[in-house]
Amino acid sequence: MLIKMVPSVLLVLLVAAMAAMAASPPKPVDVPFQKNYVPTWAFDHIKNINGGNEVQLSLDKWTGTGFQSKGSYLFGHFSMQIKMVPGDSAGVVTAFYLSSQNAEHDEIDFEFLGNRSGQPYILQTNVFSGGKGDREQRIYLWFDPTKAYHSYSVLWNMRQIIFFVDDVPIRVFKNSKDLGVRYPFNQPMKIYSSLWNADDWATRGGLEKTDWSKAPFVASYKGFHVDGCEASMPNSACPTLGRRWWDQKAFDDLDGLQWRKLKWVRNRYTIYNYCTDTVRYPARSPECTRDRDI
């Protein structure tokens, strides 16, 4: 009987070991807006609700608005729960991103592009490193982002940047410095969010204009999770580099389940990927193979 049980025990141990190697970030911790963020412009267009546990950003014909983190961070996990502008949101962009302040800046972008009523939102992501961007990817979401809050997060360490929607990885950008591709590693970044009018490009390349009769346009936020190594701008390295949970080997790569989820997104929901745009980029970027975009 003992002999028959051994394979089952080994299987359980193997599954447990595989689970231990999974690269899912810890669950975000919800905090009030004012703990980690401050308004940056058009303060009267930001409304605090429930003691700052939620905020609403509004856009009208005169101005949008935005906020930024109090600190600058070098690596970590950054998450925001957002409910997008409902109804006719053509021309309206809701942005959530990290950015450094230097001329050759680094940036990690979520941009949610509004659409006419009944048409789906488009989520555009991009990565800038050393001032170079042009790495756009666009997807449809598998849910209506105006009906309820969903989590949008970034995991950033020395080896990879992962974009998550809820617990689904929608994009990975690997450190391909050995291939000649610059990677964000030494410029601390602040976290930003904004609601603004971009009807010159956001919806159908600018063909669909913002309908100001539908204003004000309102996006809602909560969560405000920040778990990063805070660093002042002059610093080139974080003092805890190598000692945080995101530095551990389990976060060197996606696990098998995460790669399958990413493949599902690419197969079903991706509508644009710079890696496959041979008209715009005849010479394929070196990181595309490592990131499994092709």
Side-chain angles (χ1 to χ4, degrees):
M1 185 67 177
L2 180 60
I3 295 175
K4 290 181 180 180
M5 289 178 62
V6 168
S8 298
V9 172
L10 291 175
L11 179 60
V12 170
L13 291 174
L14 178 61
V15 170
M18 291 173 65
M21 290 300 293
S24 296
K27 184 178 179 180
V29 177
D30 293 348
V31 296
F33 171 82
Q34 58 269 21
K35 177 176 175 61
N36 292 320
Y37 290 96
V38 292
T40 50
W41 50 292
F43 293 9
D44 60 337
H45 283 54
I46 299 180
K47 180 180 180 181
N48 283 279
I49 300 173
N50 190 22
N53 287 310
E54 297 181 54
V55 299
Q56 290 181 340
L57 274 58
S58 65
L59 165 70
D60 56 31
K61 196 170 185 177
W62 293 272
T63 186
T65 189
F67 59 85
Q68 69 178 41
S69 61
K70 295 178 180 179
S72 298
Y73 301 91
L74 197 62
F75 310 119
H77 182 228
F78 313 97
S79 180
M80 191 73 70
Q81 295 180 53
I82 310 175
K83 185 162 54 175
M84 301 300 160
V85 174
D88 189 338
S89 58
V92 177
V93 172
T94 308
F96 171 53
Y97 61 102
L98 289 80
S99 182
S100 67
Q101 310 301 305
N102 306 57
E104 294 189 352
H105 79 293
D106 297 333
E107 189 169 312
I108 303 168
D109 293 339
F110 282 100
E111 290 183 306
F112 301 88
L113 313 183
N115 216 329
R116 294 264 88 101
S117 296
Q119 299 299 312
Y121 262 79
I122 291 173
L123 168 54
Q124 175 172 284
T125 59
N126 202 353
V127 177
F128 286 75
S129 53
K132 182 190 181 304
D134 296 328
R135 299 187 177 102
E136 296 93 347
Q137 294 184 10
R138 289 185 171 191
I139 68 168
Y140 289 131
L141 296 166
W142 48 96
F143 52 84
D144 184 343
T146 72
K147 298 297 185 184
Y149 281 102
H150 288 269
S151 176
Y152 306 95
S153 58
V154 170
L155 174 62
W156 169 36
N157 62 26
M158 275 292 292
R159 292 163 296 281
Q160 62 180 351
I161 296 165
I162 309 173
F163 295 76
F164 289 94
V165 173
D166 295 325
D167 65 342
V168 178
I170 63 161
R171 180 174 185 175
V172 62
F173 183 79
K174 293 285 190 178
N175 187 338
S176 298
K177 185 179 179 181
D178 58 315
L179 301 178
V181 179
R182 293 181 68 170
Y183 183 82
F185 79 98
N186 66 345
Q187 298 190 78
M189 294 195 255
K190 284 185 178 292
I191 312 158
Y192 299 86
S193 190
S194 58
L195 181 66
W196 53 293
N197 177 44
D199 67 1
D200 58 330
W201 67 269
T203 308
R204 294 184 61 214
L207 295 177
E208 301 283 355
K209 299 300 182 182
T210 304
D211 182 353
W212 293 111
S213 71
K214 303 296 195 300
F217 302 98
V218 177
S220 303
Y221 294 73
K222 68 178 184 178
F224 310 110
H225 171 80
V226 173
D227 186 6
C229 184
E230 191 165 356
S232 60
M233 289 307 298
N235 289 348
S236 61
C238 180
T240 61
L241 184 60
R243 301 199 297 270
R244 298 295 191 96
W245 62 262
W246 56 78
D247 297 317
Q248 307 312 307
K249 188 171 179 58
F251 299 95
D252 283 1
D253 197 2
L254 301 182
D255 62 28
L257 177 59
Q258 289 173 326
W259 276 117
R260 288 192 294 274
K261 288 181 177 180
L262 179 54
K263 184 178 180 180
W264 174 76
V265 171
R266 287 173 174 165
N267 289 342
R268 295 195 176 196
Y269 298 101
T270 297
I271 56 176
Y272 177 81
N273 189 334
Y274 77 105
C275 287
T276 58
D277 188 346
T278 56
V279 174
R280 188 178 174 193
Y281 306 109
R284 181 173 289 140
S285 297
E287 72 273 12
C288 290
T289 300
R290 179 166 291 172
D291 297 342
R292 303 192 193 180
D293 280 303
I294 55 173

